[in-house]
Amino acid sequence: MEEEQEKLQSSNRPRLKLYKILLISLGILIVFGFAVYGTAQATSSSKFCNSCHEMNPEAETWKVSSHSQVACKECHIQPGIINEAKAKINGLDQVYQKVTDSYTAPIKIKDPIPNSVCEKCHNMKNKTQEQTVDGIVIIPHEKHLEKGVLCVQCHYNVVHGGISEGKETSKTTYGKWNSAQAKQVVYNDSFIRPKMDDCIKCHKVRKVSTSCDTCHVTGIK
């Protein structure tokens, strides 16, 4: 009887050892998964984006803009695991550029924000014929959408006041930006409104009329 029990225990030892290894591995995977998830969540937060000295101008203008309640990732990271992974890889590249002081100034995004991002909040079906606040210009949004014009081609300055495009920032001025200076940009119509020069350039490229009555149908004040 004792011999049979010993044989049974001997035969079960490899199996028990395997179970232990599997349980330990599963535990490690769970801990690793939570760590990765926590890191991904932390590095996707607006607070993390704002933690870099170089992003101070963008952070300050975003805080006082009409999009201050919209998280950075909602516009700058496309939905989906693949896009999230690309964003993390891009983040590592940015860290490298920061450490080696090899980043360019002013900072610019590599890829333009697609219309689908804007349309998550803005219903373009209600903007088929929108009039500007001052009543000077009528914007036929549906025609622009049909021609594949990106929202950010006209509205690139809504959140950050076009500080990057207008070269309002440099490596020597990053730390000087605060809410007061940001408001001077974001609340200034000359920074926020689409520039007529941009409209004319785009119309010329697309061979669209640049005569005044093309856009200023209500008359220029």
Side-chain angles (χ1 to χ4, degrees):
M1 180 69 72
E2 291 179 359
E3 289 181 359
E4 290 180 359
Q5 288 180 346
E6 287 180 2
K7 288 181 180 180
L8 183 61
Q9 290 176 352
S10 298
S11 62
N12 287 334
R13 281 172 189 166
R15 186 178 300 173
L16 290 173
K17 187 175 181 180
L18 178 61
Y19 287 155
K20 286 181 179 178
I21 293 173
L22 289 175
L23 285 173
I24 292 171
S25 300
L26 180 61
I28 292 172
L29 286 174
I30 291 173
V31 172
F32 179 75
F34 275 110
V36 171
Y37 177 78
T39 302
Q41 290 295 104
T43 55
S44 295
S45 68
S46 298
K47 185 176 180 180
F48 178 80
C49 298
N50 301 345
S51 65
C52 285
H53 163 74
E54 295 79 8
M55 293 300 295
N56 188 47
E58 280 74 15
E60 291 297 334
T61 48
W62 164 71
K63 288 176 184 177
V64 299
S65 75
S66 59
H67 288 59
S68 60
Q69 299 303 312
V70 181
C72 301
K73 70 173 185 177
E74 293 300 321
C75 294
H76 292 289
I77 300 179
Q78 304 305 305
I81 297 176
I82 294 177
N83 290 318
E84 287 276 355
K86 287 181 179 179
K88 299 310 172 188
I89 294 172
N90 183 51
L92 291 174
D93 180 52
Q94 291 175 354
V95 171
Y96 171 78
Q97 291 181 39
K98 175 178 173 62
V99 172
T100 59
D101 194 30
S102 59
Y103 61 89
T104 58
I107 296 173
K108 293 183 179 180
I109 59 174
K110 293 182 179 179
D111 300 313
I113 297 172
N115 288 353
S116 58
V117 169
C118 304
E119 290 172 346
K120 287 192 297 184
C121 297
H122 300 279
N123 186 354
M124 297 308 297
K125 292 180 180 179
N126 295 335
K127 294 182 178 294
T128 55
Q129 189 80 354
E130 186 176 77
Q131 184 172 335
T132 55
V133 176
D134 54 20
I136 294 177
V137 183
I138 299 292
I139 308 295
H141 279 80
E142 81 284 359
K143 290 184 179 180
H144 290 75
L145 293 173
E146 288 172 2
K147 297 298 182 180
V149 178
L150 293 175
C151 299
V152 291
Q153 285 182 250
C154 300
H155 303 291
Y156 61 84
N157 45 12
V158 169
V159 179
H160 301 296
I163 56 175
S164 180
E165 293 80 358
K167 299 181 180 179
E168 300 293 327
T169 65
S170 66
K171 290 186 178 183
T172 58
T173 62
Y174 287 145
K176 298 178 181 179
W177 280 78
N178 53 40
S179 60
Q181 185 171 356
K183 286 178 181 178
Q184 289 180 2
V185 173
V186 175
Y187 294 174
N188 189 327
D189 282 347
S190 64
F191 286 98
I192 295 302
R193 286 185 182 180
K195 307 295 187 296
M196 187 165 67
D197 284 346
D198 294 335
C199 301
I200 292 175
K201 288 177 183 177
C202 187
H203 276 221
K204 286 182 177 179
V205 170
R206 295 173 180 272
K207 298 184 178 352
V208 178
S209 173
T210 57
S211 62
C212 298
D213 59 1
T214 301
C215 303
H216 298 278
V217 293
T218 59
I220 302 175
K221 295 181 180 179

